[in-house]
Each structure stands twice: as C-alpha cells, then as structure tokens.
C-alpha cells in the first residue's frame, strides 16, 4: 500500500493534478479565515464594478497627512484619463460630420480640440446615422470636458449646520497625494463585483467550496450505488445479474441529463437545495461505476482465494468486503474521481438551465455562471464576473482528470508508454 | 558441403530507450545455415533471441537499430541496403517471419485473402486478385488448410488454425529462409504438434530452403532442427548439433537450460528438474567478463575479469567459457 | 448477411425497449416527485396567473388531454396516444401556441446545429488524434496539451470564450440568436446569409468541444494499435508503411464510433447548454423559457424529443458500426 502510494506520487500527471486540486481546496478552506464577509453580502450599489482598489473619496479628501509629489506628466495623464483616444476619435467624427474640415482638427492637441469642440458642439443637432445612445454619449463627454484643463486648486467646502452657508474647510492642489494605506476606508476587489454588487472573489471561493461538496456528495452517492449494484450483479450472477445488467444497459442509452432535468424540474424551485441537487445528480449517474465494478468482479469471482473463502464458509458480505473489494478499490477510486468532476459540470449545466439549487442560500459555480449569463456579463465584457468561474471549473475537471490518468497508469502498467 | 543460404557475421543491433541509452540486445552474433538445414536458437526470455529474430530480417524500425555486422542471404549482402529495397526485394521473398504472438498477428478487420493480396502486391504490384487467390488456395491446400479459411476474418478462426494460417501466409512467396519465433508456445499440445509438423513440412516440400526456429524450450528443438545455438544476454554461448546440445552440453548455461524443463519424452526423463537461480543481467550495463558468471555454479574469480570469445570444440561445436571443455565435463560428472 | 441481420434485429429490439422505457420515465418521474407539476398546474389555477383566459384554456385542455381526473394507468395510455398524435397541449409560457408548435419551431434548429457540429468535431478530432499518434514528436507535443486543455473546458465555457473573443471583442460575428432579430424567417438570400453568420459561433464551439475529447481518445487508440502485433508482422512481410497506417487507423477508428455512441448523451447536453449561451432558437433556449415559465407540458415534450434524438443517434451509430466492423458479422454468424 505504501509502495503504491509512493508510486502514485511519482507519476507526473497525478502530481500536477494533485497540486492543482489541493491548491483549490486549500484556498477554499483558508480564504474564509482571512475574509470574513458573507459570500452573498451585497456590497456595492452599482453592478459589475471592475476589479481594482476602491478608495473612499471622503476619507482621502480629509486624510492628513497629505503629501506633495511632483510627478512628471501628471497633468497629461489626468487629461488622458478623462479624454481617451477613442473619445478624441469620436469628437473628430462628430466635427467632420458637422462640416468642420478634417485637416483643421488635430486630435493630439488637447487644448485646440476642446476649443474647437466647445465652439461647434450642439447637443440638439441630429447628425445622420447618429443613434440616441451616440447622442447621450456626446452629451456626457461634453460634461466631462468641463474644467479638464483647469490648473487651479479645488476648494473643499462644507455646509455650516447653523447658517447653511458653505464654508471652506480645505484646499486640494493638483499635486496633493494621500497614501492609500493611511486612508481608513479602502476595499480591494480582486475580481470586481457581480450583477448584485457582491464581491466576486469571495463569492467564487465560497461557490467553489459548495460545488466541490456537491461533487463529493454526488460522487459518493453514485459510487455507492454503482459499487453495490456492481458487486451484487457480478458476484451473485443469475437472474439478479440479468436484471441489473438490463437496467444498466438501459441507462447507458437513455441520456441521464434528461432524467436530471425532469427530476429537478419536478422537485420545484423551493425544494431544490444544493444537497438535494447533489443527491439527484448522484442517483442518475451510477451507470458507469456499475459496469466497471461488475466487469472486475466477474473476472475475480472464480479466483482461487475467493473459492477458498467460499469453502471456508464465509458469508457473501464477508467475501465481497475482504476478498473482492480490495482488488477493485483502485477502480472505485478512479470512478469516484470522474464522478466528482462530471457532477460539478452537471450542476453547472443544470443551473444555467435554471434548474440548479435555489439561489438565496449558497452560491455555486453553476449559479454564478447563470447570473453572469442572465445579466449579459459576457456580452458586456464584464470578464471578471464570468471567466474566473469558467477557469475554476476547467481547473477542477482538469486536475481531477489528470489525477485519474496518473492513477490509471500506476494501476494498469500496460498503459505506460 | 552444400550451399550456404544464410550467413550472419558479427551482427550487432541495439535498442534505443526513451532516455537515449543504447542496449545491445544482439551482440556480435554469427551463424551459418546451409541449404536444407535448420538451426534452433534457445534461451530464457529476455536473452535476446526474439531480438535476434527481428535483427536477422535486415529491416529495422524504432526502437531497434542496426549497429554493425553483415547478413548475407543466398550470396547477397543485405546489410547496408536501402531499407525500401530490403522491404521490396527481401522481406517475404527471401526471408520471412512467423511472429511470437500469432494470435494477434493478423489484422482483425481484414479477411485472410485480403491480407495475402496486400503481401503479394507489395512485391509484385501487377498480380491480379484472381491469380493471388489461385496461388493462395494452392499453397493453403498443399499445407493441409481448407481454402475457406481465405475468406474468413481472423476472429472466425481457432487458435491453432490462426497460427497455421499465419505460417501459410508467411511462406506464400516461397522465401528461402524462414524465421519462426516461438511459433508454438501459446498453443495447446495438439495444436503445437500440428504447427511443428507443418513447419517441418515446409522444408520437406521444398517451400523454404532454410529454417531458423526460436524457442525457450531447448529440448523441443531436438525434434525439429539440425543445429542448435544457445543465447544468453545477447551473445551466443554455445552451438552444436541438436544431438550434442541436448545430450552432451558443454556450457554450464546450456546444461542448466536443459535441466530447467520437464520433458515428458523417453530418454530425457531422468534429467533432473532445476530452475536456474538468478536472473539474466541488465543489458544497459552488461557485467565485464562472462555475463553468466553471477549465476554459474562453476564460477571462478577470473570469470569476471576476462571476457572470452567462442572457443572451438571441433565438429563445428563452439562454447563461450573460460573453463576448458574437459574440466567442465569432469565437474559435471562429479556432480552426478 | 444473416449475421448482420441478427445484429440489426437485436439492436432494433433494444431500441424499441429503450423508447418504451423513455416514455414510461417521462410520464412517471414528474408524478413521483413531491412537487408533482401536474398537480402544481392545477393548483396554480386558484392563484390566477398573468394571462387569465390563457390559464383557463390551458387548464381545461390540460384536464382533457392528460385526463388528470382518471386513474394513473389510464392517464398513461392517454398520454401515449396523445404523444403519438403529436398532441402535447398548450404551452403555458407561450400561450396560445401549442407545445407541438413551439417544439417544431425549435427542434430543427437544434438538429441542424448539433448533428453537423458533432460529426465535424468527431472527424476533425479523430484526424488530429491519428496524426498525433503517427507523427509523434513536435506535432504531438503541441496537440496533446491543447486537446487536454480543450477537453477540460466545460461546453458552456467554450461557448462563452468564443462569444467574447469573436463577437464582443473582434465583432466579426453576432452575439446571439439564430438570425438577425429584426428579421422574419423567409427564403431570401439576406435571411439565409444571416442564418449562416449566426450559425458560426454555436457550431464551432460545439466542434471545438468535441475535437478535444475525440483527439485524445483517437491518439491513445492509434498508439495502442501502432504497437499491435499485426503491424510488426505486416511490416516483416514487406507491406508498405502507408498501407499499414491504413489498417491501424481503420482499426483505431472503430472503437471511436462506439465511443461516440456512448458519449452522445453527454455531448447533446453540453450542446443544449451552449445553445442557451448563444440564445440560439433551438431546444435549449426553449427549455430555458419553459423552466422560467414553469411550463411543465413544454419541458416534458422537450425532454422527450431530446431523448428520442439521442436514442436514434445511438441506434444509427450502432447500425453503422455493425456495417463497418467485420467482427460484428463474424461474431454473430458463429
């Protein structure tokens, strides 16, 4: 046993798969120790905030100390941040469409462009081919140009609670900086927020955990059913065997996902917890384990040690557990690994169809996919709400498949090249 | 002295492993087969006898590579020939082969006749299917196989029938030399006898002119071949006539090989049964000196230091041992 | 030919049995569940749904069509009769369309998408796998990791990736639908072109998913066959390598047909989900609307039609396999 274990870890494929899987598993276990936010807590008002560090504006305005940094190009970066190349291009298009000669527009010259824009732009003018969305865009753009080139300091004022008059409480110059670490309120969104304004990373870690549990539960249910049916069918034989083989063959052909859909739909949204879904997936996917176990048992049934055990008067249960199970244990483990990965995929597919676990309690990878898709995150290019989920699913299945291949090579030396 | 059909001089071939190490599985092997004669090659599994069979074909593909030496078939040196020429003019026509695992030697999804068509057309592209069928039917019937076999798929044939079909297919072009690699070892006793009888028929009916028969059962060769060579760790350790080798072995390994097998035949019954202790050496790093030293009962310190060539023992016999023939015989006698 | 006829008849009998079982499951499973949707539909009547007249019509027709007031065994035979007549009643979510109409409008899209895509993916995957096995070295070193990677991306993930790259970022192809949203299906060139353009992304995402798994399977099958004894034997009888390769690939391909048959169910599930991502007007999107609308008659009919499609595909593959693999005929005639 020890030898086999050592050999398993010497298989490169198994090792890579194992490392990836353990990394995912450890992240799921350790992350909540550091980030204690509820995974489904809604933090942002807006949806799909992009990944980044969010710094409290009020705090940074009032932050003391404030530092003065003289950085080259700060002004032009400030301009570029508000007036990007796309915007300049769009302004040129508008101006040309209005009749301004193209050679008189230099989009690299910010001041000249803004001057030209301010003298020509008319929000009420409808140019041919311009949609409402385009018009709104130009109006927004014009508003953002306001004070773009200003070099004066900004004055911070607060309303006097008694008189209601504005009183100056501070001046912010363009060279003022605060240290993000000293601002009491800032928040890092590694993967932004989702359509509900939840932190995607926290939700993803929790969803990965739930999906893994679904995988394990479904895998164990399927493997247990498959193992029992396979053992009984292979060892006892006769009519029992015929019946089990018949049923197994039936469900090899009849697509199991159809059963999954029918059952999940029939259970109804309210009854569908993550655990229920896991059990349903497990109950519909034992076929391959049964086949594999039965084939092994049939080949073991007449081995000498089994016959000896029979002659010694051991019970069927004893023989199955002591004389047959050890020989098929490796197959069962491999089948379990495959079941886990296919169960995680099945949950995702079901959830996308709207038949996954009910949404209010726990996140799952499938539910994250579902909401991302419903809110069009993929079409609107909010990659952080959907790609990390796909990546995690792919990594889980990839690592499990690699471990499985590695095990296969250890247990079936004929496959080694 | 009759004409030499196959002559092999100092043939050396090697395997290349995944880690680019070379393993010399056939190490300076020489042999000569005269017209109408047969040579048996015996040895334990892993001694290089199957590799020798492959090497003798003169056609190499990865992981087996040609290293040095010559193979001369009917006066024509084929080592160093362009591989495609070897394929077209030698394989199947001059030298043919019966594989060890005849059970799986035929393409499972092809009728026997279609495979024979491919074999013949690989050498004579202009032959028509009808001619091929006639030829095959004639050859099969001559060898006592029903013509219906031709129309069958390999799965439809029994084990013995499959093996006989393979043999008949191998000699469809009447090759001069036939190399049979353990053609009967996977079969039951009845089929074994039939197969051996069939191979001997090939010689008797003049379909082939020389036979090399490879097996791990040395005593089996006594009934089949004229001469016997014993191989150990890629080298020939002893050669002589079948009579000499079976009843009067010189080399300790030959003697041990004789003793390691139960032979239910008269005259051989009282040879006592004893497996040879130990395993053949790793050919990645063959030991210096005699390669059998580690397992030899009569080993002396100098055995591990000096590597000895084949020593002539007269009457075409030769053995590879540092101890002289007379001393070995004395040692055997005192052992009983 | 007798051998093949036996094989065919046996498979046909097996096909008939699976169809019957599919019927039984489709009928009984929902009725066994605690939240029996048949009862739920009736219960929903009291609460009053959005379309009051529609609800009434659905209810009346439903009671009549499914004979919910009769005992279960009788219901089953009425159900069978209705299915054979193609009569599934009104769709709840898309009233006043009947379920038959909704299915008929979507199932052909699915067949036209999935059938060619799976076939093309299978052919490409097998060709690549065979090449990897034969060429080894550089080609294999690139192809194997790529296929491993491809085969581990979930089907819906592949759809999203392609959509984001080619429709959202490069804007080469449309993001969703089966044709332009402002068009009405007709036989003009413009419409056909629109259909072709919308077809590309769903098609290639299914093809890519199929390729990965098939290439890996074919590669290991072909490597196994290349080391088979018959290859060595054929070589030593002087047969050209090009001919031997043909033996090998033919033999390696045969198990791949069985493999396709066995995995067709999973593949169709993946493709159905991919359809949803592209908002393709096939059976996948129909199921999604049915689920969202709690439309039991539509779900039941959609799952039944998919089961049929998969069973027919499975049966067809077995028939083809029997024709191509001589061992089947031989084994039967013994």
């Amino acid at each position: 046993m020890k030898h086999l274990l050592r050999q398993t870890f010497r298989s490169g494929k198994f090792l890579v798969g194992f490392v990836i899987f353990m990394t995912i598993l450890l992240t799921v276990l350790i992350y909540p120790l550091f980030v204690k936010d509820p995974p489904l807590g809604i933090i942002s008002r807006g949806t799909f905030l992009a990944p980044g560090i969010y710094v409290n504006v009020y705090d940074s305005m009032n932050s003391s100390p404030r530092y003065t940094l003289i950085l080259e190009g700060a002004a032009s970066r400030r301009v570029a941040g508000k007036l990007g190349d796309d915007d300049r291009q769009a302004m040129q298009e508008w101006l040309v469409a209005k009749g301004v000669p193209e050679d008189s527009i230099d989009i690299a010259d910010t001041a000249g462009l803004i001057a030209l824009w301010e003298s020509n732009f008319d929000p009420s003018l409808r140019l041919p081919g311009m949609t409402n969305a385009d018009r709104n865009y130009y109006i927004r753009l014009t508003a953002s140009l306001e004070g773009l080139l200003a070099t004066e300091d900004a004055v911070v004022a607060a309303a006097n609670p008694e008189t209601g008059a504005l009183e100056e409480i501070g001046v912010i110059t363009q060279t003022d900086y605060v240290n993000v670490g000293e601002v009491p309120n800032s928040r890092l969104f590694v993967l932004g927020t989702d359509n509900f304004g939840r932190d995607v990373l926290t939700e993803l870690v929790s969803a990965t955990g739930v999906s893994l549990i679904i995988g394990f539960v479904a895998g164990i249910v399927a493997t247990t059913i498959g193992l029992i049916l396979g053992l009984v069918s292979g060892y006892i034989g006769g009519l029992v065997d015929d019946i089990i083989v018949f049923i197994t063959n039936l469900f090899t052909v009849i697509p199991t996902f159809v059963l999954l859909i029918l059952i999940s739909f029939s259970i109804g949204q309210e009854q569908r917890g993550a655990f229920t879904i896991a059990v349903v997936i497990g109950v519909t996917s034992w076929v391959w384990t049964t086949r594999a176990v039965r084939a092994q048992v049939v080949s073991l049934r007449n081995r000498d040690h089994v016959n000896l055990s029979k002659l010694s008067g051991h019970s069927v249960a004893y023989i199955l557990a002591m004389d047959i199970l050890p020989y098929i244990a490796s197959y069962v483990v491999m089948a379990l690994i495959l079941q886990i990965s296919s169960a995680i995929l099945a949950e995702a597919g079901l959830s996308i169809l709207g038949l996954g676990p009910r949404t209010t309690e726990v996140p799952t990878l499938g539910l994250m996919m579902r909401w991302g898709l419903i809110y069009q995150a993929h079409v609107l290019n909010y990659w952080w709400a959907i790609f990390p989920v796909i990546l995690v699913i792919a990594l889980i299945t990839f690592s499990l498949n690699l471990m499985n291949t590695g095990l296969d090579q250890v247990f079936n030396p004929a496959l080694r090249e | 002295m009759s004409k030499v059909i196959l002559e092999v001089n100092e043939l050396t071939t090697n395997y290349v492993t995944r880690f680019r190490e070379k393993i010399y599985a056939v190490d300076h092997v020489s042999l000569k087969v005269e017209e109408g004669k047969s040579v048996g090659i015996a040895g334990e599994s892993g001694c290089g006898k199957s590799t020798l069979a492959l090497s003798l074909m003169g056609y190499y593909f990865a992981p087996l590579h040609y290293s040095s030496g010559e193979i001369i078939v009917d006066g024509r040196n084929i080592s160093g020939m362009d591989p495609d020429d070897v394929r077209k003019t030698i394989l199947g026509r001059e030298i043919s082969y019966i594989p060890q695992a005849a059970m799986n030697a035929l393409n499972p999804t092809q009728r026997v006749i279609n495979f024979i068509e491919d074999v013949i057309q690989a050498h004579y592209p202009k032959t028509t299917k009808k001619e091929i069928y006639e030829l095959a039917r004639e050859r099969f019937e001559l060898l006592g196989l029903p013509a219906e076999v031709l129309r069958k798929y390999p799965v439809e044939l029994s084990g013995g029938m499959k093996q006989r079909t393979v043999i008949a297919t191998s000699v469809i072009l009447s090759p001069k030399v036939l190399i049979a690699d353990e053609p009967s070892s996977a079969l039951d006793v009845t089929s074994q006898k039939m197969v051996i009888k069939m191979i001997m028929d090939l010689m008797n009916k003049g379909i082939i002119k020389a036979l090399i028969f490879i097996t791990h059962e040395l005593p089996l060769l006594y009934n089949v071949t004229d001469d016997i060579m014993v191989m150990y760790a890629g080298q020939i350790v002893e050669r002589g006539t079948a009579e000499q080798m079976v009843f009067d072995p010189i080399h300790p390994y030959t003697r041990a090989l004789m003793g390691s097998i139960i032979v239910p035949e008269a005259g051989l019954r009282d040879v006592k049964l004893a497996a040879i202790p130990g395993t053949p050496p790793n050919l990645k790093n063959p030991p210096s000196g005699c390669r059998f030293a580690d397992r030899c009962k009569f080993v002396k310190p100098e055995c591990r230091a000096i590597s000895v060539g084949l020593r002539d023992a007269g009457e075409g016999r030769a053995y590879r041992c540092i101890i002289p023939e007379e001393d070995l015989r004395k040692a055997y006698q005192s052992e009983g | 030919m007798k051998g093949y006829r036996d094989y065919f008849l046996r498979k046909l009998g097996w096909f008939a049995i699976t169809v019957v079982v599919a019927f039984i499951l489709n009928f009984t499973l929902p009725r066994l569940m605690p939240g029996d949707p048949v009862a739920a539909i009736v219960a929903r009547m009291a609460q009053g749904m959005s379309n009051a007249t529609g609800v009434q019509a659905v209810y009346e027709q439903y009671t009549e069509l499914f004979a919910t007031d009769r005992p279960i065994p009788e219901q089953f035979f009425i159900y069978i009769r209705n299915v054979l007549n193609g009569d599934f009643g009104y769709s709840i979510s898309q009233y006043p369309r009947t379920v038959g109409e909704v299915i008929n409008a979507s199932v052909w899209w699915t067949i036209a998408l999935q059938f060619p895509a799976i076939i093309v993916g299978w052919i490409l995957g097998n060709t690549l796998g065979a090449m990897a096995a034969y060429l080894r070295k550089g080609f294999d070193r690139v192809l194997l990791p790529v296929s491993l990677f491809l085969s581990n991306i979930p089907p819906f993930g592949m759809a999203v990736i392609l959509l984001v790259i080619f429709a959202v970022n490069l804007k080469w192809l449309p993001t969703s639908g089966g044709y332009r949203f402002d068009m009405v299906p007709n036989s003009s060139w413009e419409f056909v072109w629109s259909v072709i353009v919308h077809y590309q992304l769903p098609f290639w995402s299914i093809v890519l998913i199929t390729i990965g798994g098939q290439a890996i399977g074919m590669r290991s099958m072909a490597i196994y066959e290349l080391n088979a004894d018959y290859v060595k034997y054929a070589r030593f009888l002087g047969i050209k390598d090009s001919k031997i390769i043909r033996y090998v690939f033919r033999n390696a391909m045969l198990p791949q047909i069985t493999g396709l048959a066995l995995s067709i169910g999973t593949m169709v599930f993946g493709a159905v989900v991919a359809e949803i991502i592209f908002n393709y007007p096939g059976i996948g999107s129909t199921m999604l609307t049915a689920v969202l609308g709690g439309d039991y008659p539509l779900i039941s009919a959609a799952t039944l039609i998919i089961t049929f499609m998969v069973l027919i595909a499975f049966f067809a593959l077995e028939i083809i396999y029997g024709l191509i693999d001589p061992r089947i005929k031989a084994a039967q005639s013994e």
Side-chain angles (χ1 to χ4, degrees):
Chain A
M1 196 61 214
K2 211 172 173 184
H3 170 71
L4 215 57
L5 217 59
R6 200 179 313 131
Q7 222 180 355
T8 307
F9 279 94
R10 216 170 278 158
S11 150
K13 281 183 183 149
F14 180 86
L15 203 61
V16 172
F18 186 76
V19 168
I20 298 176
F21 188 76
M22 284 323 273
T23 312
I24 295 173
L25 198 62
L26 286 177
T27 312
V28 168
L29 294 176
I30 292 172
Y31 184 90
L33 301 180
F34 293 97
V35 181
K36 299 204 187 295
D37 299 341
L40 292 180
I42 293 169
I43 332 186
S44 83
R45 283 279 169 79
T47 60
F48 293 122
L49 303 190
I53 304 172
Y54 288 72
V55 182
N56 187 292
V57 180
Y58 189 84
D59 288 354
S60 49
M61 207 162 63
N62 292 322
S63 166
S64 58
R66 206 178 282 159
Y67 308 95
T68 302
L69 301 182
I70 314 298
L71 297 177
E72 217 170 295
S76 61
R77 270 199 294 278
R78 188 170 296 129
V79 172
K82 280 203 161 176
L83 188 61
D85 288 341
D86 290 347
D87 299 326
R88 288 165 198 255
Q89 210 76 47
M91 285 162 82
Q92 186 186 25
E93 271 167 35
W94 194 93
L95 291 169
V96 170
K98 201 207 170 199
V100 179
E102 195 167 353
D103 50 356
S104 71
I105 309 168
D106 177 10
I107 58 168
D109 170 19
T110 313
L113 186 66
I114 292 175
L116 202 60
W117 182 257
E118 277 168 354
S119 62
N120 281 297
F121 184 68
D122 174 6
S124 60
L125 197 66
R126 291 217 70 128
L127 294 172
M130 201 169 83
T131 62
N132 263 342
D134 292 340
R135 203 170 62 134
N136 290 336
Y137 162 75
Y138 283 116
I139 293 172
R140 263 200 323 272
L141 183 65
T142 314
S144 78
L145 294 179
E146 199 87 18
L148 186 63
L149 296 176
T151 52
E152 299 85 25
D153 301 340
V155 175
V156 181
N160 184 312
E162 285 163 22
T163 62
L166 287 180
E167 285 169 12
E168 182 181 321
I169 57 166
V171 174
I172 301 175
T173 69
Q174 293 199 343
T175 50
D176 279 351
Y177 288 80
V178 292
N179 182 338
V180 176
E182 287 167 359
V183 177
N185 286 303
S186 68
R187 170 72 189 231
L188 168 68
F189 287 120
V190 177
L191 293 174
T193 69
D194 71 356
N195 54 292
F196 295 116
R198 301 162 174 163
D199 178 2
V200 172
L201 181 64
T202 309
E203 193 186 355
L204 181 65
V205 171
S206 165
T208 308
V210 178
S211 280
L212 283 176
I213 293 172
I214 292 179
F216 276 116
V217 171
I220 286 169
V221 169
T223 308
T224 311
I225 299 176
L227 184 62
I228 292 173
L229 287 182
L231 282 174
V232 168
S233 168
Y235 187 75
I236 296 177
L239 185 64
V240 179
D241 185 33
D242 290 343
I243 292 172
I244 294 177
V245 168
F246 178 77
I247 295 174
T248 312
N249 283 343
L250 263 182
F251 286 103
T252 316
V253 187
I254 293 178
T256 47
F257 79 91
V258 168
L259 304 181
L260 208 52
I261 290 174
L262 275 178
I263 298 175
S264 306
F265 184 82
S266 308
I267 291 174
Q269 166 85 12
E270 296 74 31
Q271 311 293 323
R272 280 202 306 264
F275 187 77
T276 317
I277 288 293
V279 173
V280 172
I281 293 174
V283 167
T284 54
S285 55
W286 45 268
V287 176
W288 293 104
T289 312
T290 309
R291 290 178 81 115
V293 169
R294 182 185 171 275
Q296 290 299 315
V297 174
V298 166
S299 75
L300 282 168
R301 184 167 56 190
N302 287 321
R303 291 267 187 92
D304 289 345
H305 73 278
V306 178
N307 285 331
L308 192 67
S309 201
K310 265 187 238 171
L311 289 176
S312 326
H314 292 304
S315 68
V316 171
Y318 178 90
I319 295 174
L320 286 179
M322 304 307 289
D323 298 318
I324 289 189
L325 209 51
Y327 289 85
I328 58 172
S330 64
Y331 286 87
V332 176
V333 170
M334 285 191 276
L336 176 65
I337 290 178
L338 287 185
Q339 304 274 17
I340 292 173
S341 86
S342 64
I344 290 173
L345 283 179
E347 186 274 328
L350 270 186
S351 292
I352 291 173
L353 263 174
L355 291 170
R358 60 175 173 271
T359 49
T360 44
E361 290 162 5
V362 285
T364 69
L365 293 171
L367 288 172
M368 288 185 77
M369 274 305 291
R370 169 178 166 75
W371 290 115
L373 291 172
I374 286 185
Y375 282 81
Q376 301 269 300
H378 54 311
V379 178
L380 301 171
N381 227 349
Y382 300 137
W383 58 266
W384 55 87
I386 207 157
F387 277 96
V389 185
I390 295 174
L391 184 70
V392 169
I393 296 178
L395 279 178
I396 293 176
T397 47
F398 182 61
S399 61
L400 289 172
N401 284 347
L402 272 184
M403 286 201 277
N404 199 54
T405 321
L407 285 178
D408 213 10
Q409 284 173 341
V410 172
F411 292 122
N412 303 320
L415 292 177
R416 272 181 244 160
E417 281 171 42
Chain B
M1 179 168 164
S2 52
K3 191 172 139 197
V4 174
I5 294 288
L6 177 71
E7 185 178 348
V8 176
N9 293 322
E10 303 286 310
L11 182 67
T12 302
T13 59
N14 63 278
Y15 285 110
V16 176
T17 69
R18 269 211 296 179
F19 309 105
R20 305 199 184 282
E21 297 156 311
K22 283 188 176 179
I23 296 174
Y24 292 94
V26 172
D27 197 349
H28 295 92
V29 169
S30 300
L31 61 92
K32 234 181 236 181
V33 194
E34 289 167 8
E35 183 160 358
K37 293 278 180 186
S38 54
V39 172
I41 296 173
E44 289 167 289
S45 60
C47 72
K49 59 190 193 303
S50 277
T51 311
L52 177 63
L54 304 183
S55 304
L56 290 175
M57 303 297 294
Y59 187 68
Y60 307 94
F61 42 86
L64 184 64
H65 298 270
Y66 170 77
S67 180
S68 63
E70 328 177 282
I71 302 168
I72 299 161
V73 187
D74 204 7
R76 188 161 154 214
N77 188 348
I78 66 165
S79 38
M81 251 168 81
D82 175 57
D84 205 49
D85 285 343
V86 175
R87 180 186 70 71
K88 259 187 253 169
T89 61
I90 305 295
L91 299 181
R93 281 170 67 174
E94 303 281 310
I95 309 182
S96 198
Y97 177 73
I98 302 174
Q100 192 169 14
M103 290 299 117
N104 307 314
L106 293 169
N107 178 2
T109 59
Q110 204 179 22
R111 289 178 204 275
V112 173
I113 184 68
N114 296 122
F115 180 63
I116 293 175
E117 280 163 11
D118 286 349
V119 172
I120 295 182
Q121 283 176 344
H123 302 284
Y124 307 100
K126 288 187 188 129
T127 336
T128 64
K129 290 194 172 184
K130 205 163 173 258
E131 288 165 350
I132 294 173
Y133 180 76
E134 280 310 310
L135 178 73
R137 192 182 54 82
E138 218 172 280
R139 177 61 39 99
F140 271 54
E141 279 171 355
L142 179 68
L143 293 171
L145 283 165
E148 299 94 76
V149 170
L150 290 171
R151 293 269 176 233
K152 298 215 162 161
Y153 288 100
V155 275
E156 297 172 88
L157 304 172
S158 67
M161 189 59 97
K162 231 186 272 184
Q163 179 63 291
R164 289 161 68 200
T165 304
V166 168
I167 295 171
T169 307
S170 291
V171 297
I172 198 85
L173 293 167
S174 308
K176 289 177 182 131
V177 185
L178 179 66
I179 297 167
D181 185 6
E182 307 245 13
S184 61
S185 57
L187 300 171
D188 59 276
V189 183
T190 329
S191 305
Q192 236 176 30
K193 279 195 174 145
M194 256 167 134
V195 162
I196 288 173
K197 184 184 167 293
M198 186 172 172
I199 290 176
M200 290 169 84
D201 266 5
L202 295 175
M203 289 285 275
N204 299 339
K205 290 182 176 158
I207 297 171
I208 58 172
K209 291 183 176 155
L211 170 71
I212 292 182
F213 192 102
I214 292 168
T215 180
H216 63 276
E217 294 171 71
L218 176 55
L220 177 77
L221 291 174
Y222 174 64
N223 297 320
V224 182
T225 61
D226 302 310
D227 294 333
I228 292 178
M229 300 187 357
V230 170
M231 246 184 126
Y232 186 77
Q235 297 173 326
I236 300 288
V237 293
E238 186 175 358
R239 67 160 181 256
T241 64
E243 185 82 18
Q244 294 164 341
M245 295 290 280
V246 173
F247 292 104
D248 180 28
I250 300 175
H251 196 281
Y253 179 63
T254 313
R255 198 176 133 84
L257 205 59
M258 272 308 303
S260 69
I261 296 146
I262 321 169
V263 185
E265 271 172 61
L268 296 172
R269 192 167 287 158
D270 41 14
V271 176
K272 64 171 180 258
L273 169 71
I276 312 171
T279 49
N282 183 349
L283 286 177
K284 265 183 216 171
N285 300 301
S288 60
C290 176
R291 292 184 179 179
F292 187 58
D294 282 345
R295 299 167 73 189
C296 186
K297 276 191 214 166
F298 312 101
V299 64
K300 293 177 175 178
E302 58 265 38
C303 288
R304 300 184 199 275
I306 307 159
S307 59
V308 66
L310 276 173
R311 290 166 66 163
D312 192 21
E315 303 170 43
R317 291 195 80 175
Y319 65 101
R320 188 188 291 272
C321 187
I322 198 166
I323 307 169
E325 191 187 339
E326 309 79 61
D327 295 359
L328 282 169
R329 287 191 198 287
K330 265 179 224 153
Y332 296 156
Q333 252 155 22
S334 66
E335 204 188 23
Chain C
M1 237 30 231
K2 183 179 170 295
Y4 186 68
R5 205 189 60 209
D6 290 353
Y7 174 82
F8 181 85
L9 289 177
R10 231 194 26 225
K11 292 294 170 191
L12 190 67
W14 188 242
F15 176 70
I17 293 171
T18 47
V19 168
V20 170
V21 172
F23 266 124
I24 296 175
L25 285 173
N26 206 274
F27 175 82
T28 43
L29 270 182
R31 286 168 176 78
L32 290 176
M33 295 299 137
D36 180 356
V38 184
I41 285 175
V42 182
R44 216 171 278 156
M45 300 304 136
Q47 298 164 8
M49 272 161 44
S50 52
N51 185 337
T53 46
V55 168
Q56 195 54 37
V58 168
Y59 177 62
E60 279 165 14
Q61 210 219 8
Y62 200 85
T63 323
E64 191 204 331
L65 198 60
F66 295 87
T68 42
D69 47 352
R70 311 262 178 85
I72 293 274
E74 205 180 331
Q75 282 185 34
F76 180 67
F77 288 105
I78 292 168
Y79 159 83
I80 295 276
R81 193 192 62 207
N82 292 334
V83 167
L84 293 179
N85 290 330
D87 194 350
F88 296 91
Y90 284 118
S91 154
I92 295 175
S93 58
Q94 301 187 35
Y95 182 81
R97 295 173 78 195
T98 64
V99 169
E101 281 167 21
V102 177
I103 295 283
N104 198 34
S106 61
V107 72
W108 300 109
W109 288 96
T110 295
I111 292 174
L113 175 67
Q114 298 197 4
F115 180 68
I118 290 177
I119 297 286
V120 169
W122 186 84
I123 293 172
L124 286 179
N126 282 298
T127 314
L128 288 172
M131 279 166 73
Y134 182 56
L135 300 174
R136 304 305 293 268
K137 301 264 159 57
F139 186 73
D140 192 25
R141 238 166 253 163
V142 176
L143 189 90
L144 186 62
V146 171
S147 316
L148 267 179
F149 179 70
L150 281 184
S151 65
N152 280 295
I153 295 180
F156 50 84
M158 181 63 76
V160 171
I161 290 170
L162 288 192
L163 191 144
V164 168
I165 295 176
F166 294 102
V168 176
N169 285 317
L170 296 174
K171 296 193 171 60
W172 290 353
L173 295 161
T175 54
S176 69
Y179 47 89
R180 243 170 57 205
F181 64 91
D182 54 353
M183 281 181 154
V184 179
N186 58 59
S187 57
S188 70
W189 277 115
E190 211 189 344
F191 179 74
V192 171
W193 177 246
S194 176
V195 168
I196 292 174
V197 169
H198 282 78
Y199 188 74
Q200 298 308 314
L201 281 181
F203 177 79
W204 290 107
S205 72
I206 299 173
V207 168
L208 278 180
I209 300 158
T210 316
I211 283 181
Q214 293 298 325
I216 294 173
M218 182 64 179
R219 177 183 169 276
S220 45
M221 272 322 295
I223 288 177
Y224 174 80
E225 290 283 335
L226 275 170
N227 292 321
D229 294 319
Y230 68 84
V231 170
K232 197 164 77 179
Y233 182 55
R235 266 190 179 143
F236 277 142
L237 289 188
I239 294 180
K240 267 194 216 146
D241 273 9
S242 56
K243 184 137 234 163
I244 297 175
I245 292 301
R246 248 177 283 162
Y247 297 170
V248 164
F249 291 150
R250 185 192 150 99
N251 293 350
M253 196 193 74
L254 290 169
Q256 288 291 95
I257 296 179
T258 320
L260 179 66
L262 289 175
S263 58
I264 195 101
T266 320
M267 279 183 179
V268 169
F269 183 40
V272 161
V273 175
E275 274 184 11
I276 293 176
I277 311 257
F278 292 107
N279 219 342
Y280 204 73
I283 210 102
S285 304
T286 302
M287 285 216 286
L288 183 64
T289 31
V291 169
L292 294 176
D295 192 343
Y296 170 70
L298 189 51
I299 277 281
S300 170
T303 47
L304 194 62
I305 203 92
I306 291 183
T307 313
F308 267 133
M309 280 163 44
V310 171
L311 290 182
I312 289 171
F314 187 88
F315 179 62
L317 282 168
E318 294 227 292
I319 294 309
I320 294 171
Y321 183 76
L323 279 178
I324 301 180
D325 193 337
R327 287 169 288 191
I328 297 288
K329 284 174 232 170
Q332 295 295 317
S333 58
E334 262 171 26

